[in-house]
Amino acid sequence: MSGEKDKIKGKAKEMTGKLTGDRRKESEGKADQAKGKGKEAMGGAGERAKGVKDSLTDDDRH
């Protein structure tokens, strides 16, 4: 599941937990949101690393 989907799912769980007074559901929602943010951060780091690799490869050709 993508980071954005985890964040959306987590927000829905958190709000459901708040509305129903279910602290466990609320906590699960917050955890899902954190998981989604972590996935997005890792994805961004991977993209930056790929960009550095590509730029180094391009420099070798000149």
Side-chain angles (χ1 to χ4, degrees), residues 15-31:
M15 295 308 294
T16 301
K18 283 183 179 182
L19 290 172
T20 61
D22 186 343
R23 288 181 177 234
R24 182 176 180 178
K25 183 71 72 179
E26 187 177 344
S27 294
E28 287 175 5
K30 289 180 180 181

